[in-house]
Amino acid sequence: MPPRTSIFAVRTTIGQERSVTDLITTAVIGEPDIWECPFCSEQFNSEEATREHMATCPKKKSTGEPKLVYKNPLLGRVKAILVPETLRGYVFIETEEYRDVEIAISGVPHVRGRVSGKVTKEEIDKYLVPKPAAEGISVSDIVEIISGPFKGERAKVTRVDAAKEELVIELIDSPVTIPMRIHADFIKLVEKATEEEVPAGEAEEEGEEEEESFWSRS
Amino acid sequence: MPRLRACRQCHYLTTENICPNCGSTNLSSSFTGIVVILPGRDPHEDPRKTSYIAERLNIDKPGKYALKVR
C-alpha cells in the first residue's frame, strides 16, 4: 500500500532553509509526550517511567492509571522535510494533513508563508532525482561560472566529460585562452551554440596548435 | 559549529569522522540538498512504509540525509 501522505511547500527567507528545517525537526522530535502520576502529580516523559514511579510513589493508592497530560501533535504525523537547494526559498514538508504543516511552522522564524495546494508527486520527483549536471551542455556553448574565483565570468565549452560531470572551458574575456577543468555544478548555461559556431571553435584550436609550434621552434 | 559532512555511501549527514549509519569513512563536505526523515511514534518503524520521500529515496532509517553528494 502506498503511503497516504501529502507534500506541502513552505516559503522561507532565502538562505535560511536549513535553519527552518532544523527548527521544525526540533519541534517534531525534541518534545516528548508528558505523562502524570495520578497520586502525586509528578510528570514523566513516558508511560513506562510513570508506571515505574507509581509502584514506589509515597502517596500510592490502590488504583490509578498514568494520565496523559500532553501529546506531541507532530510526532508521527510529519514524515519528512525536503530542502532542494536548487529551488531557493522553499522547503517541502511531507505530512498526513495540511493542519500538521500549520502546527509545525507556527512560531518558526524565517517562514514567509505557505503555498496553497499540494505538491504533486511528479513535481517532487524532479528534486528527488537530480538530473546530471552536465546534461544539455555541448561543445562551444557559452556558459557562465557561478562559483569559485572566476564567478561571474563567461566561458566557452571546449570539451564535455559526461561521466565525471566535468567540463573543459575557456574564458571569453581572457586575452590568452587557458583551458580550465570545472565541475558542471558550478556553471550555468547562457547560450546554446548555433550551427555556424562549431567550425569557429575548431579554427580556434588550430590557432592554439600554431602557437605551440612557434614556441617549439625557438 | 563543526561542518556537516555527507557519507558517500548512504548520504547520511554527520559531523563525525565515521558515518554513524553505515560505518564508512568516505565522507564529503560537498553536497547539495537536505532531506530529513522524521521518526514515527514507533522508533523502529520502517519510514519507507509511511513516507513517500523515504520510499522514493530508499531510506530505511530516520535521520538527516543529503540529496546529492560529490
Side-chain angles (χ1 to χ4, degrees):
Chain A
M1 194 186 83
R4 270 209 326 239
T5 55
S6 313
I7 297 160
F8 300 95
V10 171
R11 219 160 65 85
T12 71
T13 310
I14 290 177
Q16 295 294 332
E17 297 90 351
R18 285 193 195 186
S19 70
V20 168
T21 313
D22 287 345
L23 281 165
I24 297 174
T25 310
T26 319
V28 176
I29 57 174
E31 272 184 66
D33 297 344
I34 299 170
W35 294 80
E36 201 178 76
C37 168
F39 313 130
C40 67
S41 301
E42 205 180 323
Q43 294 186 334
F44 297 91
N45 285 345
S46 68
E47 195 182 350
E48 295 84 65
T50 319
R51 282 192 190 281
E52 231 169 77
H53 161 83
M54 276 163 68
T56 55
C57 185
K59 292 181 188 168
K60 192 177 173 182
K61 289 176 196 137
S62 56
T63 54
E65 280 294 308
K67 212 163 81 190
L68 183 64
V69 180
Y70 170 79
K71 193 178 172 202
N72 186 334
L74 297 172
L75 187 66
R77 296 188 67 86
V78 179
K79 307 291 184 191
I81 308 169
L82 172 70
V83 190
E85 275 160 21
T86 45
L87 186 67
R88 295 177 75 200
Y90 286 92
V91 167
F92 295 104
I93 306 180
E94 182 180 6
T95 61
E96 289 192 354
E97 279 171 51
Y98 184 68
R99 66 187 162 100
D100 301 320
V101 180
E102 294 270 349
I103 301 166
I105 64 171
S106 66
V108 176
H110 303 299
V111 171
R112 306 288 294 272
R114 299 166 302 274
V115 178
S116 56
K118 291 176 187 175
V119 182
T120 59
K121 312 250 144 138
E122 290 76 39
E123 274 179 284
I124 274 296
D125 282 350
K126 280 194 283 190
Y127 301 107
L128 292 181
V129 188
K131 65 170 189 184
E135 200 183 86
I137 296 167
S138 47
V139 173
S140 74
D141 283 355
I142 308 293
V143 294
E144 189 184 316
I145 302 166
I146 54 170
S147 168
F150 293 110
K151 188 178 176 178
E153 297 270 358
R154 283 176 164 223
K156 195 172 197 171
V157 179
T158 54
R159 206 165 75 217
V160 180
D161 189 342
K164 276 177 156 181
E165 296 197 338
E166 274 184 344
L167 306 170
V168 179
I169 56 169
E170 281 169 4
L171 293 180
I172 288 178
D173 295 336
S174 161
V176 191
T177 53
I178 309 159
M180 281 196 303
R181 206 164 245 280
I182 191 164
H183 196 278
D185 277 355
F186 301 127
I187 62 120
K188 193 175 81 186
L189 186 64
V190 176
E191 212 179 299
K192 285 296 278 177
T194 49
E195 300 259 316
E196 299 112 66
E197 267 184 82
V198 180
E202 281 171 8
E204 221 168 82
E205 274 169 34
E206 277 167 29
E208 212 173 281
E209 274 166 34
E210 272 171 37
E211 204 175 21
E212 272 175 20
S213 55
F214 167 76
W215 286 106
S216 56
R217 256 184 269 142
S218 62
Chain B
M1 202 184 116
R3 269 195 75 175
L4 271 181
R5 292 198 291 167
C7 171
R8 281 205 178 89
Q9 248 119 60
C10 64
H11 290 201
Y12 194 87
L13 289 174
T14 179
T15 51
E16 292 160 40
N17 290 326
I18 300 166
C19 171
N21 191 23
C22 66
S24 145
T25 52
N26 194 358
L27 304 172
S28 160
S29 58
S30 172
F31 62 87
T32 51
I34 296 177
V35 182
V36 182
I37 302 295
L38 295 157
R41 289 238 155 236
D42 169 21
H44 302 293
E45 189 184 54
D46 189 348
R48 280 176 293 188
K49 283 184 188 141
T50 58
S51 162
Y52 174 74
I53 295 176
E55 185 196 14
R56 202 64 225 281
L57 297 173
N58 203 15
I59 295 171
D60 57 0
K61 220 165 138 189
K64 204 170 176 183
Y65 295 84
L67 259 188
K68 194 178 173 190
V69 185
R70 268 201 305 277

